[in-house]
Amino acid sequence: MGLLQGSVLSPLLFNIFLADFFEKLSNKKVKFADDGTIWKTTDDLSTVEENLQGD
């Protein structure tokens, strides 16, 4: 059950499902089509790890 691969509804429903997900993240983020990435830049590795794990 589900949508056919390549269906025009798939990306639309995905974006609706994740619309507010990226708003709640504190780190830098980017979303493109059905992919998303978060990142943090600093000199302290433990700070990066804590921040990314928190998100």
Side-chain angles (χ1 to χ4, degrees), residues 4-55:
L4 294 174
Q5 184 174 3
S7 169
V8 295
L9 284 178
S10 297
L12 175 65
L13 294 175
F14 180 83
N15 283 328
I16 290 171
F17 182 72
L18 291 181
D20 63 341
F21 178 76
F22 283 95
E23 293 175 8
K24 299 177 181 180
L25 300 176
S26 62
N27 292 297
K28 295 180 181 177
K29 59 252 179 199
V30 65
K31 184 172 76 166
F32 179 76
D34 64 348
D35 196 13
T37 301
I38 62 171
W39 72 93
K40 173 88 175 170
T41 56
T42 186
D43 294 332
D44 185 17
L45 183 60
S46 63
T47 301
V48 170
E49 184 178 2
E50 287 176 20
N51 281 301
L52 293 177
Q53 288 293 335
D55 276 347

